[in-house]
Amino acid sequence: MGSDCGPGGSQSRAVWCAHVDGWTTLHTNCDQAQRPSNQRNCFRVCDWHKDLYDWKLGAWNECVPVSARTFGAPRPFTCSGGEEGIQTREVACILKSDGSPAEDAICEYFEPKPRLEQACLIPCPQDCVVSEYSPWTSCSKTCGTGLRNRVRSVLVPPLFGGTVCPNLTEFQSCKPGPCTGPEGMYSLRVGTWSPCALTPARTTRQVKRRKGKGPGLREKTGVKDPETRELIQKKRTRNRLNRQESPFWDIQVGYQTREVTCIHRNGSTVGRKDLPLTVQSCLLPKDCQVTEWGDWGSCSKTCVDPESPRGKRTRVRQVLQFPVGEGAECPPLEESESCEPQGNGVPPCATYTWRTTEWSDCRVDLLLSQQDRRRSNLTGLCGGGLQTREVYCVQANAEVGRPASRPVENKRCKGPIPNRSQLCQIPCPIDCEVSPWGAWGLCTFENCDDQAGKKGFKLRKRQITNEPTGGPGNCPHLVEAVPCDEPSCYDWRMLGLDQCIPDDEKPCGSGTQLAEVQCVSSNGEEVDRNLCSSSSPPEPVSCEVPCSRDCVLSDWTPWSTCSQTCSSKTIEGKQMRTRSILAYNAGEGGSLCPNSSALQEVRNCNEHACTVYHWQTGPWGPCTEDPSSSSLNTSTSFRASSNIQGLCSMGMQTRKVICVRVNVGQVPPKKCPDGPRPSTLRPCQLPCKKDCIVTPFSDWTPCPVTCDTGTRTQSRKRLIIQLPSNGGQECPEVLEEERDCEVLKVCPGFRWKTHKWRKCQLVPWFLRQDSPGAQETCGPGLQTRAVSCRQLDGTQADITECLKFAKAMPAITQHCQLPCQDDCQLTNWSKFSSCTADCVGVRTRKRALIGRSKKKDKCKNTQMYPLSETQYCPCDKYNAQPVGNWSDCILPEGGRVESILGMKVQGDIKECGQGYRYQAMVCYDQDNRLVETSRCNSHGYIEEACIIPCPSDCKLSEWSNWSRCSKSCGSGVKVRSKWLREKPYNGGRPCPKLDHINQVYEVVPCQSDCNQYVWVAEPWSVWKVSNVDLKENCGEGVQTRKVRCMLNTIDGPSEPVEDYLCDPEEMPLGARESRLPCPEDCVLNDWGPWSRCSLVRAAPTSGSNWSTCQLSPNAVCGSGIKTRMLDCVRSDGKSVDIKFCEELKLEKKWQMNISCVVECPVNCQLSEWSVWSECSQTCGLEGKMWRRRSVVQSSQGDGRPCPSQMEQWKPCPVRPCYRWQYSSWSECRVESVVCGHGMRYRNLSCFVSDGSSDGEGSQVDEELCSSLELAVDGDKQIRLKEACILPCPGECYLMEWSDWSSCVSICVKGAGVDFGSVQVRSRAVLAQEPENLQLCPDQAWESQPCTGGECYEYKWFSSVRPNSTRPYIWCQRSDGLNVTGGCPPMNPPTDNSSCDPPCLMPKSFCSEAGICMCEEGFTEVLSSAGQLDQCAPIPILEIPTAGDKKGDVKTSRAINPTQPTTIQPGRTGRTWYLQPYGPDGKLKMWVYGVAAGAFVLLIFIVSMIYLPPTFLCDICEMCHLSCLIS
């Protein structure tokens, strides 16, 4: 800062003298007195000045037309939407601290100077628009000459310089008839009441009299008994306490007077001395007085909340003096302001967040369709499922560290609600798959290491081809045993026979074949030959090499498959081998061929008994603690973060193992071999224990604060957020508690208590003793009473509580009447006697005369003072009838669809079944007034059963059987299908995508073993030689054999199948032609099999197409696999056995399995129905209640879609609409006189209606409105009386205010320009005497802004009147209302005759002659050019005659300025009138002169009618006119 900133600096500039042509000259050539300064002080601005100085912006000035700022520019004649203008404002730089002005350069240093001008829009002038005239009133007099009036009201006020309002009243003289007697010319008029004043001090005489009265009375009525005196004193004290001389009211009764004057018809005042002076009691006005404001209360926000940092605090003030009489009302007693919590240690506000319980177990049944649920067995489901959880709200920053937080109301949590359901996966168990049984092995010992005894077993085995879930323990038995004798652990296996070698080295003849053998173990494995030394190897087999002339036989075929797997008494296994004749013997010397039976051999096989044994295992038992395990299985109370269970320690599992004989059952264990016996014990891991976790109890629900009778309870609940498992602590049984609410000792609420009325207080006698008929001890007065505040139980309360919570304060004063001696005094009416039944008999009430009234004759007049009243007993007849539409079909509470298992299914959100729909009932009494429905013995509804149709899912057939594999060798496909049985309806699950014949297919690849089906050929038949040589039996011949396709098993071909299953290319020949060798020919046996190729060529393997996503049979959706098969393909494209590719060790580069997902069909899940809303209307016929639900989970896949109905409604019970309503104002009442200032009154009545906008309602007993706040249309200021003026006879006066007009928008329709909305009301003038018109007040109007105004257009309309050729032209508003004003002045419609220039002036029209003329009642005013300038109204003068019924139309003019919101008084725009009557009511002299002239004119016209036509023509010729004589 320092001296470098702020004021005190200087600025300099160069100043020189210059010639007018611009060149520089000497300073002496310029006037030195006018030389500008070359230096000035300046303010040096620094950055810190920014906080000290700022621009001060003035208000925008009035919008000035742009044309007005341009000299000579004409303003546009037409206005469309508005006129462009400019408005300015003042902008100055100031010092913020005191507002003192500063140099603009300081503020400009920090911020540019704001603009000084801006464009604006000046609205077009809005002319005043008035309604049509009302009908003419009746004549103001019944005789003589009076006036009739008709009035209209202002609809739109003049704005923005528009045309002022025209006259709202038209007068027309009327004369019902001559008066038979003198007219009353004078009347008494009362003035307004004077302000209320205190009564002056009493005179000494009155005080003495008062003092003299007191002691005497007391002594006269005194009681000497001290006990009685004490009781009287206590009663007085109690009454004084009840009276509560409240400090809040200072009530003083005063008096007020009003003047009475004598008024002439012409308005002049006549002085009289005998005029009465009226006086009445009144309350001295007291303004409300309040204390100073109290201290501010604490801030409602006691914590730090970033989203809503501010709270509210309030302060109050007390009432010292309530308003009395016409005193000013009390100002607000409470005010509030925003605030923030103060202090350093303000805690953060409670924040709330959603919490969830743990997910429930995964359930697949929630995803099943209706068709799937009807299956009897729903166990073992797996795959995709659904799991749910509960969501609740907790305070986020409370109870930190606890495992569970206390739940609070859900409405406190904001933001999205966490998902209450999610998809899950139950792993599908993998079934064990095993290979076919292998061949029976050798008879072997149970244990080759212990070969004691001679008992042995033959075993056969199978392998696990697919490992199951849970390990191989879940597979069926893999070993079967058959007992046998003579077991051995090792034996010789013959591989084949060597070539037959004849004995003795002969070339042919008998010989032997040596067996080729190997030593094998019981498992079939080759072992050292020495292990078989205990048994002798197979002996050489004898054979024969045929000589040249011998019969030649083929070798034996291999032994066929054994016909039985075992032997018994009834069955035994057989196998066979055959050979055939290759060449017949040649004559003698050669060995003969054997017969056919010798060509086959049969032997027994599988001679072991059919007693097969195997070990059978039971399921593994539960994992139990192993006592030897060191780690303990402790429970856990933490919430698992995932579904994976923690593992705590090792345990043991056991299972049962028994020996079973096939088709028999359990046998002793010794029947089964010990070697393959499964184990009965295995280790396992124990899952950790999980304890149940519950939240703390929520807070108790609040008790109702009302004092209604009945049981009132409050409840609290807690939620399970983790279920126990694995032996953890169980959950508590009680999750919800309920208790009765405490009975309120004091019902909350306040009420006003009124105390007894005090004595009626009269105006002092010395003030009213001059009033005619006044008496000292009687007459009208005022009485007051005390009012106090009580609680509902009657205890005293502060009066401010009643001001806040109680109804309107009762009146503390009322007018009263002290009866005079001559008045008749009666008791109050008794209650009506009771009726025995409605509509039967009568009921009465009575009253009686009291005091001296009993003896007065006038009081005994029962016509004037009836002592009893009789009325028929009320005939209450009610009728009920339905009203409104039927509601939606609503199911009973809890009517959700349930599954077959009897439990609620989360996915079944579509409610259906029988429900009810409701229609409201309305009850009317005999007067067609709405009453409570209970009067008609109705609960308010008609119920009707209805049906919500249940959804039906798409139904398909069961899967068909799989087709055969499309290929018999290698990979193919197999197919199964479902077809449509029933389409979905009523919102059921949709069908999957179907083909054109409504089927859905599943295609999977399949693999056919190339050796699965083999051709089996029987031996060749005997040769059939074609050329039979009986001697040699040789030569060309044919052999046949049967070839069949058979299913190949591990034991060989088993059963024949269809031929197409075998490869046709490999089918052996069924017949052959060859030559049967003759003697001496070389004989060959059949070709053996081909040897293995030393160089094999094979094409690489190839993969088939992927299958559809395959699920487990018990799964609905979720994870699955797609598979494809691998083919071994030969170079020519033919699929061959996979072993060929395996032997070549070809690369398997294709993936055979991939994971896939089938989308789960999740049904749409909805929330529960909400509770029914409050009624849309508190009363009436059209109230509705709604309940809603929301989508919790949208449908997925083929799940059931969400229903369209997300909300339901039903009618509310019809309740009558009661309201307070004013009656119409009474006529203005002026006591004892004819006119002047008086009062008018209206009643406040209770009305009932049906709540419709057009329902007027009917009046009912006020008790029915007792529960309502005392207000009319929201206005709590109840006004039942108001001052008014009753005009005196002959007086010209203003009518009452008209109703407010409809809200009108000041706009240009279609142009988007709107200058706000306004409504207006007006007061028109009414006149009674023609001579008093000059004394009439000005008409008045006032306007106020409003909202929602309608934008109207105004157009000219015209039509031709009946029996007239003159067009009738009028202006009409776009809502159809005929108005005056608003239409454009230059475009009124014209008739077919064209006027040039056109007739543009108001009240003008184009005549048939093409001349602009004025309408009837107006005269033409021409311009200097002879054109119509305006149409002026014509004042028509009446010539009063007895038979003349024509009226004199006069117009009262009043001109209003354009300000829209004030009443405009004044005399501006007055017009002179012709007054035919003088002040005395007689005709003026000039009237007689005018009448005489008119009479002469009439005689002239009559004489002209009777002159001959020729005379008329002469006159016409004199006037240069043509004469036409008919």
Side-chain angles (χ1 to χ4, degrees), residues 1111-1132:
L1111 300 173
S1112 167
N1114 290 331
V1116 177
C1117 60
S1119 299
I1121 58 171
K1122 288 183 179 180
T1123 60
R1124 60 180 177 178
M1125 297 301 180
L1126 198 62
D1127 266 353
C1128 185
V1129 182
R1130 208 166 57 186
S1131 57
D1132 61 354

Side-chain angles (χ1 to χ4, degrees), residues 233-250:
Q233 185 63 35
K234 285 182 178 180
K235 184 175 181 182
R236 288 176 178 170
T237 303
R238 185 168 63 253
N239 289 340
R240 187 170 63 252
L241 290 175
N242 284 338
R243 203 159 51 237
Q244 289 288 325
E245 296 292 340
S246 173
F248 299 107
W249 288 277
D250 181 12

Side-chain angles (χ1 to χ4, degrees), residues 584-602:
Y584 288 93
N585 59 312
E588 297 179 2
S591 60
L592 298 176
C593 289
N595 56 18
S596 59
S597 61
L599 294 178
Q600 64 178 10
E601 285 184 353
V602 177

Side-chain angles (χ1 to χ4, degrees), residues 389-584:
R389 63 181 177 182
E390 287 192 62
V391 177
Y392 59 100
C393 183
V394 298
Q395 184 178 339
N397 52 356
E399 303 177 358
V400 178
R402 294 195 178 186
S405 301
R406 184 188 310 276
V408 297
E409 293 177 300
N410 284 346
K411 64 182 179 183
R412 297 189 182 182
C413 279
K414 308 298 181 185
I417 302 176
N419 289 335
R420 284 179 270 187
S421 63
Q422 72 174 7
L423 294 174
C424 53
Q425 187 81 17
I426 298 177
C428 289
I430 300 174
D431 295 334
C432 182
E433 295 181 9
V434 294
S435 66
W437 286 107
W440 288 103
L442 301 174
C443 186
T444 182
F445 289 98
E446 275 192 52
N447 187 357
C448 286
D449 295 333
D450 182 12
Q451 298 183 5
K454 295 184 178 181
K455 182 181 178 183
F457 291 95
K458 287 185 179 181
L459 304 180
R460 68 172 181 177
K461 298 179 181 178
R462 54 185 174 182
Q463 286 78 36
I464 297 174
T465 58
N466 196 21
E467 185 82 13
T469 304
N474 295 326
C475 283
H477 61 281
L478 302 176
V479 179
E480 287 184 345
V482 173
C484 60
D485 297 328
E486 299 179 359
S488 64
C489 290
Y490 306 98
D491 201 356
W492 296 103
R493 177 192 293 169
M494 187 171 67
L495 301 177
L497 294 174
D498 293 338
Q499 188 175 359
C500 184
I501 302 173
D503 297 337
D504 301 331
E505 297 181 357
K506 294 179 180 179
C508 61
S510 299
T512 57
Q513 285 180 296
L514 297 178
E516 185 182 349
V517 295
Q518 64 179 185
C519 183
V520 295
S521 67
S522 58
N523 296 328
E525 299 174 354
E526 184 178 3
V527 295
D528 187 75
R529 297 176 70 90
N530 294 327
L531 295 176
C532 294
S533 58
S534 59
S535 62
S536 57
E539 296 292 333
V541 178
S542 61
C543 60
E544 189 159 349
V545 176
C547 294
S548 61
R549 301 185 67 87
D550 292 340
C551 177
V552 181
L553 300 177
S554 67
D555 294 332
W556 288 104
T557 62
W559 288 103
S560 67
T561 305
C562 191
S563 61
Q564 302 292 333
T565 57
C566 58
S567 300
S568 64
K569 294 180 179 180
T570 56
I571 59 173
E572 58 181 11
K574 299 287 185 180
Q575 55 186 167
M576 180 181 66
R577 66 177 180 175
T578 60
R579 59 182 178 177
S580 60
I581 298 173
L582 298 178
Y584 288 93

Side-chain angles (χ1 to χ4, degrees), residues 1330-1406:
E1331 65 268 21
N1332 287 348
L1333 290 177
Q1334 73 275 15
L1335 302 177
C1336 288
D1338 290 327
Q1339 64 188 24
W1341 58 266
E1342 64 180 3
S1343 63
Q1344 66 180 12
C1346 57
T1347 56
E1350 184 72 25
C1351 186
Y1352 293 113
E1353 288 181 311
Y1354 299 88
K1355 291 183 180 180
W1356 289 107
F1357 286 84
S1358 67
S1359 66
V1360 179
R1361 293 175 175 173
N1363 303 324
S1364 173
T1365 58
R1366 177 179 295 180
Y1368 173 58
I1369 304 170
W1370 72 96
C1371 181
Q1372 191 176 92
R1373 202 163 70 174
S1374 54
D1375 62 348
L1377 193 66
N1378 293 343
V1379 297
T1380 299
C1383 284
M1386 67 287 295
N1387 294 319
T1390 60
D1391 62 353
N1392 295 330
S1393 303
S1394 58
C1395 292
D1396 187 21
C1399 305
L1400 303 177
M1401 296 300 121
K1403 303 295 183 181
S1404 67
F1405 67 94
C1406 188

